[in-house]
Amino acid sequence: DPGFEARLKRADALRTADAAGFAQALDELDRTAGAATAAQKTKLRLLHVYPLILRGDYATAIRELQAVMAAAGSVDTQYRAGAMLANTYAITRQFERGLKTLNVILPLSGEVTDTDTRHHGYAAAGILYNQVGEFGLGLDHANRILAETPSRRNRCIAGNLKLESMQGLGEAPDEASLQAAITQCRSVGEPILVGFSRTYLARSLFAEGKVAKAIDTLERDLQEVEATGYPRLIGDYHALLAEYRLARGDASAAERHAEAAIAHSATLDSAQSLVSAYRTLYEIADRNGDLRTALQRYRQFSVADKAYFNDVKSREMAYQVVRHQSLQQEQQIALLNQQNALLQLQQRVQQQSVQNSRLGMLMLFLVVAFVVLWAVRTKRVQMSLRRMAETDALTGASNRHHFTRQSEATLAQSAAAGEDAALIMFDLDHFKAINDQYGHAAGDWVLRKVVETCRPVCRQVDCFGRLGGEEFAVLLAGHNLRSALRLADDCRVWIAGIDTTESGHRFRVTASFGITTTRISGYDLTRLLSHADRALYRAKRGGRNQVVAFEEFAPLAPPIDRPPAGEPATEDPEAAETRPSDFPSRGDLTGRAGGA
Ligand SMILES: Nc1nc2c(ncn2[C@@H]2O[C@H](COP(=O)(O)OP(=O)(O)OP(=O)(O)O)[C@@H](O)[C@H]2O)c(=O)[nH]1
């Protein structure tokens, strides 16, 4: 409700100028508060505190202000309630509570949007600080208000506060600024503050030795001051007048004023005016030689002075207590912050160590992976080196050395198991002619093709080796002569069927085969090779492209020129046919002739 807000503002403005109008405005606001927002209701509640303070119902005022501070929807309302609360605590001389309230609101000063409200807070702070003897802080807050182009009323309040602070600090204000403060406060209708300004001016004049002027300054406004009914101010006035009158030698006027000061200060627990008035009365009695009265006055002076001294000290103490408490609080906060930082550090260390252990695991994994990889690669290299060492690079068949070792192992196993094994040896026919006619590359192609063609006769357990040049051998475990003959003949047929177009030439490839078995030749490889080689020799002599088995009962062949199996043949096979032969005739052999 914008209307409600406007009426709240209007009521607030009436507060100092028109007490009756203010009361009426509050009544009207109460009647229409049903439609107000929570924040507006809180503001209204705050306005209701002013009449409570005027009435002197401080206990209710304090309760209400505390409630408003707790419920305030805006910083401004909370701040204003806090400033009023600090003021009320100052009036009721609860300095510690007042200072604590300041500690709550002053840090919010920067967030307060309304300048008047902020100045109200600074003024409350300045008044309280001066009361607890912290005049430096009082002056600082007065200057804060004056630096921010305050309203005329706040300028009066701040000007007064400044004079009070300077007096407390023992600094003498110049007459011009004293007059300015008086004019300022008079223009806004603040007779109490005008009165206090006049006491500062009078003190300043008296200190300069201008006693008559000081008296004149005070007496001019005396009636107006008495009309305020403010005991502390009236007491001050009379006490000062008593002191100054006596200084001028007017003892009877001095006595009158001193008595008036005492009468007005009677309701106060302690006051500087009481001390001053009793001292003046003592001095008068002393000057009169009335020792009894002098002693009595001195005793009264002494009691008032002690009370005042205690009061000042207890106020100063209140400040020290609150300061100590807030320091302690700050230290606790700092300690908590440190503990927090420590916890955060510990957390980070923990995270770091988790990260480190993860990193460690990763490193370990990498090392293991590397070792495994290295082992696999080493194994592969070993295997490929072994393959290179064991196989013939051109054809991929086992080389002679490996074939020998493999075969010897297989034969030993067969012998142990009492199983048969057969050895087939074969040699390409007229290979030299292929080389000569079609080139070495064509010859290589033939060798590879022959191995590729014959490999199917071998199982995993069998050994297929290139004994040298164009001579090959196959050791077949578990085969007897019959099955070996069949396999050898299959091989012969396959070789004879090779289509050489792929090599770039068309020619015919055939091979001659010699066979023996363990039943015929025993389990010794050298003997088996020798017997197979002899059968092969017979196949060549028999016209090539045929399979011949060694005849176990045939007498050993006579020495021939042919080189041992595997070495390149140097002999002309045609010439060999002229050699005397001890071999059985072709018909005696168990082999079969085929092909060309
Ligand atoms: N292209 C090629 N030729 C080879 C290789 N090893 C040996 N030779 C050749 O093979 C030929 C073997 O010839 P010979 O021992 O006379 O036998 P042949 O010509 O097959 O005659 P017969 O065995 O009597 O049928 C030689 O010319 C060798 O140079 C090889 O790895 N590649």
Side-chain angles (χ1 to χ4, degrees):
D1 177 6
F4 193 85
E5 189 72 39
R7 275 183 289 130
L8 270 174
K9 275 221 168 78
R10 230 174 302 136
D12 200 7
L14 282 176
R15 184 170 52 78
T16 46
D18 176 5
F22 179 57
Q24 220 178 348
L26 283 187
D27 278 349
E28 201 194 312
L29 284 164
D30 282 342
R31 276 199 303 278
T32 54
T37 64
Q40 287 169 337
K41 280 178 187 160
T42 311
K43 276 186 196 171
L44 179 56
R45 195 172 178 184
L46 184 67
L47 290 183
H48 272 293
V49 178
Y50 286 98
L52 290 173
I53 293 174
L54 276 179
R55 248 186 279 141
D57 185 357
Y58 299 121
T60 315
I62 287 170
R63 250 198 333 272
E64 282 297 293
L65 288 169
Q66 284 170 337
V68 169
M69 267 188 91
S74 72
V75 173
D76 277 42
T77 308
Q78 188 193 8
Y79 192 86
R80 187 168 166 183
M84 284 172 72
L85 186 59
N87 253 335
T88 314
Y89 280 137
I91 294 168
T92 54
R93 307 178 59 74
Q94 303 180 62
F95 299 108
E96 281 185 29
R97 290 190 175 154
L99 290 167
K100 279 181 189 164
T101 308
L102 289 182
N103 286 348
V104 174
I105 61 158
L106 288 181
L108 302 174
S109 301
E111 292 170 52
V112 174
T113 52
D114 182 60
T115 319
D116 255 10
T117 302
R118 185 167 51 252
H119 290 171
H120 191 48
Y122 287 156
I127 290 165
L128 246 174
Y129 286 136
N130 278 355
Q131 284 185 343
V132 298
E134 288 297 318
F135 298 106
L137 283 173
L139 183 61
D140 176 55
H141 284 84
N143 283 334
R144 281 187 200 202
I145 299 172
L146 293 171
E148 278 191 342
T149 52
S151 67
R152 288 184 334 156
R153 191 163 183 279
N154 285 337
R155 186 180 294 280
C156 151
I157 293 169
N160 224 267
L161 196 55
K162 183 170 179 172
L163 294 176
E164 187 186 47
S165 309
M166 288 179 79
Q167 189 192 290
L169 289 168
E171 291 172 19
D174 59 300
E175 203 180 325
S177 60
L178 284 161
Q179 291 292 359
I182 293 165
T183 317
Q184 192 76 51
C185 289
R186 177 161 285 148
S187 78
V188 292
E190 287 284 353
I192 294 177
L193 292 179
V194 172
F196 274 119
S197 299
R198 285 199 165 279
T199 64
Y200 304 133
L201 178 58
R203 280 193 173 99
S204 182
L205 290 168
F206 185 76
E208 287 169 25
K210 301 171 180 168
V211 184
K213 216 174 166 189
I215 293 171
D216 183 51
T217 299
L218 294 172
E219 280 189 337
R220 198 188 303 164
D221 284 335
L222 188 55
Q223 271 194 329
E224 202 183 318
V225 164
E226 284 191 320
T228 64
Y230 193 63
R232 196 171 290 273
L233 177 64
I234 302 167
D236 264 7
Y237 253 68
H238 283 294
L240 288 175
L241 277 171
E243 188 184 340
Y244 301 163
R245 283 288 183 187
L246 185 64
R248 295 275 288 180
D250 189 349
S252 65
E255 192 165 358
R256 224 175 39 246
H257 280 302
E259 297 291 357
I262 291 165
H264 281 286
S265 308
T267 53
L268 306 172
D269 291 336
S270 84
Q272 203 179 4
S273 51
L274 264 184
V275 180
S276 163
Y278 281 124
R279 193 180 49 222
T280 304
L281 288 177
Y282 153 73
E283 271 174 30
I284 292 169
D286 188 44
R287 278 184 204 185
N288 290 343
D290 181 357
L291 292 184
R292 262 176 71 104
T293 312
L295 182 63
Q296 187 201 348
R297 291 308 189 195
Y298 193 83
R299 278 205 187 117
Q300 285 168 322
F301 156 73
S302 170
V303 168
D305 191 48
K306 193 169 170 234
Y308 182 64
F309 179 81
N310 285 344
D311 184 35
V312 170
K313 284 296 146 206
S314 77
R315 280 185 273 156
E316 285 175 1
M317 183 67 96
Y319 176 76
Q320 294 306 332
V321 166
V322 173
R323 206 177 90 111
H324 190 72
Q325 283 174 347
S326 67
L327 269 177
Q328 220 172 17
Q329 246 168 13
E330 276 170 29
Q331 277 173 350
Q332 271 173 348
I333 290 168
L335 195 73
L336 279 175
N337 283 344
Q338 276 177 352
Q339 282 173 343
N340 256 355
L342 194 73
L343 275 175
Q344 279 175 355
L345 217 66
Q346 279 174 340
Q347 223 171 11
R348 269 173 45 196
V349 165
Q350 223 164 17
Q351 283 171 350
Q352 196 75 49
S353 76
V354 166
Q355 235 174 14
N356 281 354
S357 71
R358 273 195 204 140
L359 214 69
M361 301 241 291
L362 187 74
M363 289 276 285
L364 197 71
F365 172 77
L366 284 176
V367 167
V368 168
F370 175 78
V371 167
V372 167
L373 205 78
W374 180 78
V376 167
R377 286 193 63 169
T378 308
K379 185 78 191 160
R380 264 201 215 142
V381 169
Q382 270 179 350
M383 276 163 66
S384 94
L385 281 175
R386 211 169 105 183
R387 237 195 333 272
M388 274 163 69
E390 290 177 348
T391 56
D392 164 50
L394 179 68
T395 62
S398 294
N399 61 25
R400 185 182 185 101
H401 176 72
H402 183 56
F403 173 81
T404 305
R405 273 185 40 198
Q406 246 185 329
S407 299
E408 278 171 346
T410 305
L411 285 167
Q413 272 174 13
S414 299
E419 284 176 356
D420 287 341
L423 181 71
I424 303 173
M425 199 183 228
F426 64 96
D427 185 294
L428 302 188
D429 298 331
H430 300 306
F431 188 62
K432 187 175 181 313
I434 294 173
N435 266 336
D436 293 349
Q437 212 167 329
Y438 307 109
H440 212 74
D444 283 354
W445 181 88
V446 170
L447 288 169
R448 277 195 300 270
K449 194 73 184 171
V450 165
V451 170
E452 184 189 313
T453 306
C454 293
R455 203 181 280 286
V457 301
C458 292
R459 298 156 304 169
Q460 194 74 38
V461 291
D462 301 328
C463 317
F464 186 4
R466 183 181 176 196
L467 300 183
E470 53 0 330
E471 194 171 44
F472 299 91
V474 185
L475 183 79
L476 300 162
H479 277 272
N480 56 26
L481 187 60
R482 180 185 290 274
S483 61
L485 274 170
R486 200 171 51 243
L487 282 176
D489 203 53
D490 285 349
C491 232
R492 182 189 63 76
V493 171
W494 292 337
I495 290 172
I498 287 174
D499 179 2
T500 62
T501 0
E502 204 185 299
S503 75
H505 306 282
R506 283 179 71 87
F507 53 88
R508 191 173 162 72
V509 181
T510 59
S512 302
F513 291 75
I515 298 183
T516 189
T517 68
T518 48
R519 251 188 222 200
I520 300 166
S521 311
Y523 288 93
D524 178 54
L525 181 65
T526 315
R527 196 169 152 82
L528 282 161
L529 282 170
S530 163
H531 287 178
D533 188 46
R534 281 208 240 160
L536 170 59
Y537 176 69
R538 285 298 298 270
K540 290 274 184 192
R541 284 195 53 192
R544 298 185 170 79
N545 190 23
Q546 57 188 264
V547 180
V548 173
F550 179 72
E551 174 57 57
E552 66 179 310
F553 302 113
L556 282 175
I560 50 169
D561 296 341
R562 191 181 157 84
E567 281 175 29
T570 51
E571 186 196 28
D572 181 358
E574 301 303 326
E577 280 176 37
T578 58
R579 276 200 302 257
S581 171
D582 295 320
F583 280 99
S585 68
R586 264 182 86 185
D588 299 332
L589 291 162
T590 39
R592 287 180 289 163

